[in-house]
């Protein structure tokens, strides 16, 4: 996306780790305000894994690159913020002073539970008061619920680690996506006469619970149905976690290509089969999940 310059802007503040329905409603409000006032819309998000600075092992639902890909059709600009020790130690007022000085902000939008600044002492009320004092409009969005349940990144992560991909997708607003590069694997797919892509993904990326999922793989803008195995490969005595996608109706060489995997349905747990032939039979069945 293009870099934010000196134009007037309405900016959405938050991490937007999972770009879930609550985030999307906030971004919609940002875009609506920008359109009404004939200014640009912008979403601020961290360009690195902010959890690390809190000594947390938490993974990101979406990496910065994935978030940018999702956000490109939702706003005019994405404002990357690197969450480092310096930013972490900024007081709430110092953070806003620097942000307002650097950009031509006419309005800010945040969630009701937005926290910022050293010790998370800044909140939506502080932002609203500071903005008013500087002639900037501030919109605070209420809690977003889906079927009576609060939508949050924490809830999305809980559903993903439980393998409840369809429920997670409902909160995300679209199928959970993993982007990565196709690398050379062990060549087992050839044994089954199934094109197989071994995916290398960022270490900061969160994965769903180990299992086999009905997926769609996007390659060069074209989507192919298939099944994706996350986890070990016990039939072959391999315990190392891997992400392997089996593709239907595909024969091209895709090594070193960047692909996106969209997870639609949890099919089964990873299990050890008595023979590779039994596994092959099951994999062919898995790949028909969409029929």
């Amino acid at each position: 996306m293009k870099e934010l310059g000196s134009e007037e802007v309405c900016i959405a503040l938050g991490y937007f780790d999972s770009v879930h329905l609550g985030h999307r409603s906030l971004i919609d409000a940002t875009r609506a305000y920008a359109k009404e006032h004939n200014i640009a819309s912008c979403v601020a998000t961290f360009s690195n894994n902010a959890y690390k600075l809190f000594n947390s092992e938490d993974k990101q639902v979406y990496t910065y690159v994935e978030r940018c890909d999702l956000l490109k059709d939702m706003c005019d600009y994405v404002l990357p913020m690197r969450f480092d020790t310096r930013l972490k130690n900024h007081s709430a007022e110092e953070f806003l002073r620097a942000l307002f000085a650097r950009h031509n902000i006419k309005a800010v939008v945040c969630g009701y539970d937005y926290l910022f600044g050293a010790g998370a002492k800044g909140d939506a009320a502080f932002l609203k008061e500071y903005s008013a004092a500087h002639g900037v409009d501030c919109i605070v969005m209420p809690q977003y619920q889906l079927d009576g349940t609060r939508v949050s990144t924490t809830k999305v992560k809980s559903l993903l680690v439980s393998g409840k991909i369809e429920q997670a997708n409902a909160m995300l607003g679209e199928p959970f996506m993993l982007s990565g590069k196709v690398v050379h694997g062990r060549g087992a797919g050839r044994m089954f006469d199934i094109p197989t892509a071994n995916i290398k993904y960022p270490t900061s990326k969160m994965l769903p619970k180990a299992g086999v999922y009905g997926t769609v793989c996007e390659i060069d803008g074209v989507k192919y149905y298939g099944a994706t195995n996350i986890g070990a490969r016990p039939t072959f005595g391999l315990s190392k976690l891997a992400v392997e996608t089996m593709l239907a109706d595909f024969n091209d060489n895709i090594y070193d290509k960047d692909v996106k995997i969209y997870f639609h349905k949890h099919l089964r747990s990873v299990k050890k089969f008595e023979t590779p032939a039994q596994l092959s039979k099951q994999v062919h069945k898995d790949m028909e999940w969409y029929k």
Side-chain angles (χ1 to χ4, degrees):
M1 295 184 72
K2 54 187 178 180
E3 187 174 337
L4 179 62
S6 60
E7 55 266 68
E8 296 180 338
V9 66
C10 175
I11 187 168
L13 297 175
Y15 193 162
F16 302 103
D17 181 357
S18 60
V19 198
H20 57 54
L21 289 176
H23 293 149
R24 290 170 188 241
S25 69
L26 194 154
I27 295 167
D28 285 345
T30 303
R31 189 169 54 203
Y33 182 100
K35 183 177 181 180
E36 181 183 348
H37 293 83
N38 197 30
I39 60 178
S41 60
C42 177
V43 175
T45 186
F46 294 129
S47 59
N48 61 321
N49 185 358
Y51 300 121
K52 283 189 174 181
L53 264 78
F54 294 101
N55 297 316
S56 170
E57 295 300 316
D58 274 14
K59 304 285 188 179
Q60 300 175 100
V61 175
Y62 289 126
T63 65
Y64 173 67
V65 171
E66 289 172 335
R67 264 175 276 141
C68 284
D69 186 55
L70 291 168
L71 293 169
K72 69 179 186 294
D73 295 323
M74 300 183 193
C75 60
D76 297 312
Y77 297 95
V78 173
L79 178 63
M81 292 185 176
R82 182 165 184 81
F83 192 77
D84 52 20
T85 303
R86 180 170 170 272
L87 184 58
K88 180 184 176 183
N89 293 330
H90 268 6
S91 69
E93 185 171 354
E94 287 172 331
F95 169 74
L96 293 178
R97 187 188 308 132
L99 182 68
F100 282 30
R102 192 174 297 122
H103 303 289
N104 192 1
I105 298 173
K106 296 302 177 183
V108 292
V109 183
C110 73
Y112 73 100
D113 57 350
Y114 178 55
L115 298 173
F116 62 100
K121 292 184 178 179
D123 59 11
F126 183 92
L127 176 61
K128 200 169 186 69
E129 182 180 343
Y130 186 94
S131 298
H134 291 77
V136 172
D137 287 341
C138 179
I139 301 168
V140 178
M141 297 295 291
Q143 182 184 105
Y144 190 98
Q145 294 189 351
L146 179 65
D147 298 328
T149 300
R150 174 176 173 256
V151 174
S152 69
T153 295
T154 299
K155 182 62 177 177
V156 168
K157 288 183 173 182
S158 174
L159 292 169
L160 289 174
V161 299
S162 299
K164 297 176 180 177
I165 197 71
E166 287 140 301
Q167 292 96 317
N169 289 347
M171 286 198 168
L172 290 171
E174 62 181 81
F176 172 76
M177 178 262 291
L178 179 153
S179 62
K181 186 178 290 291
V182 179
V183 297
H184 285 276
R186 56 203 169 88
R190 289 192 294 273
M191 184 189 305
F192 308 145
D193 192 30
I194 303 171
T196 303
N198 190 282
I199 311 299
K200 182 180 180 181
Y201 58 92
T203 57
S204 63
K205 170 72 175 181
M206 183 178 186
L207 296 178
K209 180 182 179 181
V212 180
Y213 295 84
T215 55
V216 172
C217 181
E218 183 176 332
I219 307 167
D220 293 333
V222 181
K223 294 183 178 180
Y224 302 88
Y225 285 102
T228 298
N229 181 89
I230 292 181
R233 290 137 305 167
T235 303
F236 300 97
L238 300 171
S239 58
K240 184 179 178 181
L241 185 148
V243 177
E244 287 186 332
T245 292
M246 284 67 73
L247 302 171
D249 303 318
F250 187 83
N251 294 302
D252 294 344
N253 181 356
I254 55 172
Y255 287 124
D256 290 328
K257 278 191 176 291
D258 293 316
V259 300
K260 299 174 190 172
I261 311 293
Y262 296 91
F263 290 74
H264 288 259
K265 185 177 182 179
H266 180 267
L267 301 178
R268 60 179 175 87
S269 299
V270 174
K271 61 173 287 187
K272 181 177 180 179
F273 290 84
E274 292 299 320
T275 66
Q278 289 179 359
L279 172 59
S280 175
K281 184 177 179 181
Q282 180 61 56
V283 169
H284 278 88
K285 182 179 178 182
D286 293 337
M287 292 176 66
E288 295 182 347
W289 65 270
Y290 59 93
K291 294 183 178 179

